[in-house]
Amino acid sequence: MRFVSSVLDRPDDASNRKSVRASWHVVAGLVAAGAFLCFSGPVLAQSDMERQAQCELSAIRDTRSPLAVQYIRSACNWLVVNGDSLLNASNKGYYVCLVRQLSGAQSNEAAAAIMSACRASNPL
């Protein structure tokens, strides 16, 4: 029994306990960081939903055409999801044109003409 207490009382054991304690702090930090990263996804999704809502609110204001509203919503969705992608850069102009030009469309006929003009000026 005396041998056990003399082994535990060595100075090396105190430094070992500190390193074990420090290791547990590192593990706890990694767990906390992992939890933060896991739960940051919904925050990003909420941000995308807010961006889409802002796009729609800015464009739909005085729009009376149901077709225009439908295409504005679709274009805002595309811009939020794909707008920053370099792979889709060639399509971005078309969707920006829809959001800008369909805003305020009063009839489905006017909306169809605007969509056709956006397609012609920004070929996909």
Side-chain angles (χ1 to χ4, degrees), residues 51-111:
R51 286 178 33 205
Q52 181 168 348
Q54 286 301 321
C55 176
E56 290 176 12
L57 286 171
S58 68
I60 293 176
R61 293 179 189 252
D62 298 325
T63 306
R64 293 184 183 210
S65 163
L67 183 64
V69 170
Q70 177 185 351
Y71 274 84
I72 288 170
R73 285 186 172 155
S74 177
C76 285
N77 181 50
W78 188 95
L79 288 168
V80 167
V81 173
N82 301 309
D84 295 332
S85 170
L86 295 176
L87 295 173
N88 298 309
S90 62
N91 298 340
K92 186 175 181 177
Y94 171 70
Y95 292 102
V96 169
C97 181
L98 289 179
V99 170
R100 288 183 181 160
Q101 303 305 323
L102 285 173
S103 181
Q106 299 298 306
S107 68
N108 286 344
E109 293 79 16

Side-chain angles (χ1 to χ4, degrees), residues 38-50:
C38 287
F39 292 113
S40 67
V43 172
L44 180 61
Q46 185 178 11
S47 170
D48 285 350
M49 287 174 27
E50 289 172 356

